[in-house]
Amino acid sequence: MAPNARSVLTALKRITPFTLETLATGHGPLLRFNIPEVTRRYDTWSQKQAQAEAAVVVFYVSDYGYSDRIAQAIAHGLTKGGVAVEMLDLRTADLLEVQETVQRVQGLVLCPPPTESTHSQAVLGSIFAAVQDKQRIGIFESYGNQESPSQILVNQLVDLGLTLAFPTLKVTQDPTPALYQTCEESGTDLAQVLMLKQTIQKSKAVAPDLDKAMGTLVGGLYIITARRGDIQTAMLASWVNQASFNPPGISIAVAKDRAIESLMHPGDSFVLNVLAEATYPPLMRHFLKRFKPGEDRFAGVKTYTATHGAPILADALAYLECRVVSRMETNDHWLVYGVVESGDVSDSEGLTAVHYRKVGNHY
Ligand SMILES: Cc1cc2nc3c(=O)[nH]c(=O)nc-3n(C[C@H](O)[C@H](O)[C@H](O)COP(=O)(O)O)c2cc1C
């Protein structure tokens, strides 16, 4: 519910005068116990979400193509990157609220409104009147009854001085999980742009001596790969450790805004590919490229398939096939614990690549 944090706070305020006997959420079990504690936590989480350092408003149209689901996927990607999201329906949004929200946020995501809805057109007018240059925009196009003129919308907003944050998302057929993943990654890309200054500031806030001391910690170099259905992705990692003997298990710290994070929930499987000291540079360079949302990260890389479907890199020194058992939340990473189900070493003998750093505020 993170993208709806503000609505949650309003709703919680409205129920305050009542003595609650049952919480009947729209998406889960009926709760009859610990109601004050549950509502208190919901309030705390929502406050935290609503007070994020940057905010984006996502405009969607209910009952129009796949607009609301696409908007939710983009919103999820934004919240992964630590940005507060407000969702407004172009069909029903209050014009004053639109103006106030657009003036306050750092970014906007919207789709062209259906031409037959005069209210949506009026909302679009309010958006145009309130936008400011320097704001970032993202456009998605979900075909409803007719073709949506997204390019016109992009041109108008760019003419007003706004910068496009990700390539326009065009949905012409029933969306697939891969498309939703692309939408999520687009949202995360926008969040990363908006949070860049804060991220740099925070990394400089650590005392220099402490930073150097943290930099003495070393890790190996690994490529984590994961696959779910048609979606597959990868990342370079060095915050990896053995975490149990029996069953053999490992821990990996995965930044909250990584694309692969969505594929590393309990029950998901992934492969840890161990890079070799002698051959790691080309693989490291390849996986550190800035990939576009949804781009195939394995193009040109030799792979074969693990039992659970994730790619094994043919040039890795060894691989471990793992299943996620649990995750622990830290401020900026998920500490993922996985049990190793199988693994093997390649024929080429060699040492694991080791990653030395000077400071602890970078990988
Ligand atoms: C040497 C090195 C080690 C890294 N280790 C990790 C890591 O352990 N966890 C992590 O989340 N990101 C790590 N990263 C960052 C990611 O590899 C990289 O930013 C990521 O692949 C980009 O993926 P994204 O598009 O999902 O953000 C590391 C980067 C470098 C250069």
mmCIF file of all heavy atoms in Angstrom, residues 20 23 32-42:
data_model
loop_
_atom_site.group_PDB
_atom_site.id
_atom_site.type_symbol
_atom_site.label_atom_id
_atom_site.label_comp_id
_atom_site.label_asym_id
_atom_site.label_seq_id
_atom_site.Cartn_x
_atom_site.Cartn_y
_atom_site.Cartn_z
ATOM 1 N N LEU A 20 -12.814 0.195 17.214
ATOM 2 C CA LEU A 20 -12.818 -0.808 16.141
ATOM 3 C C LEU A 20 -12.905 -2.222 16.711
ATOM 4 O O LEU A 20 -12.210 -2.557 17.667
ATOM 5 C CB LEU A 20 -11.550 -0.682 15.299
ATOM 6 C CG LEU A 20 -11.265 0.705 14.733
ATOM 7 C CD1 LEU A 20 -9.964 0.695 13.949
ATOM 8 C CD2 LEU A 20 -12.403 1.159 13.833
ATOM 9 N N LEU A 23 -10.854 -5.269 11.703
ATOM 10 C CA LEU A 23 -10.291 -4.579 10.548
ATOM 11 C C LEU A 23 -10.508 -5.486 9.342
ATOM 12 O O LEU A 23 -9.993 -6.599 9.309
ATOM 13 C CB LEU A 23 -8.792 -4.339 10.729
ATOM 14 C CG LEU A 23 -8.330 -3.274 11.711
ATOM 15 C CD1 LEU A 23 -6.813 -3.168 11.676
ATOM 16 C CD2 LEU A 23 -8.956 -1.924 11.400
ATOM 17 N N ARG A 32 -8.974 -9.320 14.126
ATOM 18 C CA ARG A 32 -9.824 -9.033 15.286
ATOM 19 C C ARG A 32 -9.004 -8.782 16.547
ATOM 20 O O ARG A 32 -9.529 -8.381 17.560
ATOM 21 C CB ARG A 32 -10.810 -10.194 15.497
ATOM 22 C CG ARG A 32 -11.885 -10.217 14.400
ATOM 23 C CD ARG A 32 -12.980 -11.197 14.684
ATOM 24 N NE ARG A 32 -12.508 -12.562 14.510
ATOM 25 C CZ ARG A 32 -12.569 -13.495 15.446
ATOM 26 N NH1 ARG A 32 -13.063 -13.218 16.639
ATOM 27 N NH2 ARG A 32 -12.125 -14.706 15.202
ATOM 28 N N PHE A 33 -7.708 -9.058 16.481
ATOM 29 C CA PHE A 33 -6.866 -8.891 17.669
ATOM 30 C C PHE A 33 -5.795 -7.829 17.430
ATOM 31 O O PHE A 33 -5.436 -7.564 16.285
ATOM 32 C CB PHE A 33 -6.216 -10.228 18.061
ATOM 33 C CG PHE A 33 -7.235 -11.315 18.255
ATOM 34 C CD1 PHE A 33 -7.430 -12.290 17.298
ATOM 35 C CD2 PHE A 33 -8.040 -11.323 19.394
ATOM 36 C CE1 PHE A 33 -8.389 -13.268 17.463
ATOM 37 C CE2 PHE A 33 -9.003 -12.294 19.567
ATOM 38 C CZ PHE A 33 -9.186 -13.281 18.601
ATOM 39 N N ASN A 34 -5.267 -7.277 18.514
ATOM 40 C CA ASN A 34 -4.180 -6.285 18.449
ATOM 41 C C ASN A 34 -4.477 -5.124 17.503
ATOM 42 O O ASN A 34 -3.592 -4.616 16.831
ATOM 43 C CB ASN A 34 -2.866 -6.966 18.003
ATOM 44 C CG ASN A 34 -2.506 -8.129 18.889
ATOM 45 O OD1 ASN A 34 -2.626 -8.042 20.117
ATOM 46 N ND2 ASN A 34 -2.100 -9.230 18.284
ATOM 47 N N ILE A 35 -5.744 -4.734 17.449
ATOM 48 C CA ILE A 35 -6.114 -3.693 16.481
ATOM 49 C C ILE A 35 -5.391 -2.364 16.735
ATOM 50 O O ILE A 35 -4.870 -1.774 15.771
ATOM 51 C CB ILE A 35 -7.654 -3.541 16.436
ATOM 52 C CG1 ILE A 35 -8.201 -4.769 15.701
ATOM 53 C CG2 ILE A 35 -8.069 -2.259 15.712
ATOM 54 C CD1 ILE A 35 -9.682 -4.838 15.610
ATOM 55 N N PRO A 36 -5.287 -1.897 17.991
ATOM 56 C CA PRO A 36 -4.565 -0.628 18.187
ATOM 57 C C PRO A 36 -3.122 -0.717 17.686
ATOM 58 O O PRO A 36 -2.614 0.210 17.046
ATOM 59 C CB PRO A 36 -4.615 -0.409 19.703
ATOM 60 C CG PRO A 36 -5.771 -1.215 20.168
ATOM 61 C CD PRO A 36 -5.849 -2.395 19.253
ATOM 62 N N GLU A 37 -2.459 -1.855 17.937
ATOM 63 C CA GLU A 37 -1.063 -2.015 17.522
ATOM 64 C C GLU A 37 -0.959 -2.042 15.987
ATOM 65 O O GLU A 37 -0.083 -1.408 15.395
ATOM 66 C CB GLU A 37 -0.498 -3.314 18.148
ATOM 67 C CG GLU A 37 0.916 -3.688 17.713
ATOM 68 C CD GLU A 37 1.973 -2.654 18.075
ATOM 69 O OE1 GLU A 37 1.672 -1.711 18.829
ATOM 70 O OE2 GLU A 37 3.106 -2.779 17.550
ATOM 71 N N VAL A 38 -1.865 -2.762 15.369
ATOM 72 C CA VAL A 38 -1.845 -2.861 13.907
ATOM 73 C C VAL A 38 -2.064 -1.487 13.273
ATOM 74 O O VAL A 38 -1.328 -1.079 12.369
ATOM 75 C CB VAL A 38 -2.918 -3.863 13.412
ATOM 76 C CG1 VAL A 38 -3.077 -3.780 11.901
ATOM 77 C CG2 VAL A 38 -2.572 -5.275 13.822
ATOM 78 N N THR A 39 -3.052 -0.741 13.785
ATOM 79 C CA THR A 39 -3.319 0.582 13.194
ATOM 80 C C THR A 39 -2.166 1.541 13.494
ATOM 81 O O THR A 39 -1.800 2.357 12.656
ATOM 82 C CB THR A 39 -4.655 1.183 13.693
ATOM 83 O OG1 THR A 39 -4.765 0.916 15.084
ATOM 84 C CG2 THR A 39 -5.835 0.582 12.995
ATOM 85 N N ARG A 40 -1.548 1.402 14.680
ATOM 86 C CA ARG A 40 -0.408 2.263 15.011
ATOM 87 C C ARG A 40 0.740 2.036 14.014
ATOM 88 O O ARG A 40 1.337 2.953 13.496
ATOM 89 C CB ARG A 40 0.069 1.997 16.449
ATOM 90 C CG ARG A 40 1.097 3.017 16.956
ATOM 91 C CD ARG A 40 1.782 2.559 18.232
ATOM 92 N NE ARG A 40 2.535 1.307 18.080
ATOM 93 C CZ ARG A 40 3.709 1.200 17.464
ATOM 94 N NH1 ARG A 40 4.286 2.249 16.953
ATOM 95 N NH2 ARG A 40 4.316 0.018 17.362
ATOM 96 N N ARG A 41 0.991 0.747 13.745
ATOM 97 C CA ARG A 41 2.088 0.437 12.809
ATOM 98 C C ARG A 41 1.780 0.944 11.408
ATOM 99 O O ARG A 41 2.642 1.464 10.705
ATOM 100 C CB ARG A 41 2.302 -1.080 12.737
ATOM 101 C CG ARG A 41 2.969 -1.599 13.970
ATOM 102 C CD ARG A 41 3.472 -2.979 13.700
ATOM 103 N NE ARG A 41 3.904 -3.628 14.919
ATOM 104 C CZ ARG A 41 4.634 -4.720 14.933
ATOM 105 N NH1 ARG A 41 4.994 -5.295 13.814
ATOM 106 N NH2 ARG A 41 4.998 -5.259 16.061
ATOM 107 N N TYR A 42 0.532 0.763 11.002
ATOM 108 C CA TYR A 42 0.128 1.205 9.670
ATOM 109 C C TYR A 42 0.335 2.718 9.554
ATOM 110 O O TYR A 42 0.806 3.234 8.543
ATOM 111 C CB TYR A 42 -1.346 0.853 9.457
ATOM 112 C CG TYR A 42 -1.741 0.586 8.029
ATOM 113 C CD1 TYR A 42 -0.808 0.611 7.000
ATOM 114 C CD2 TYR A 42 -3.058 0.285 7.701
ATOM 115 C CE1 TYR A 42 -1.178 0.361 5.701
ATOM 116 C CE2 TYR A 42 -3.443 0.040 6.403
ATOM 117 C CZ TYR A 42 -2.495 0.079 5.398
ATOM 118 O OH TYR A 42 -2.867 -0.169 4.105
#
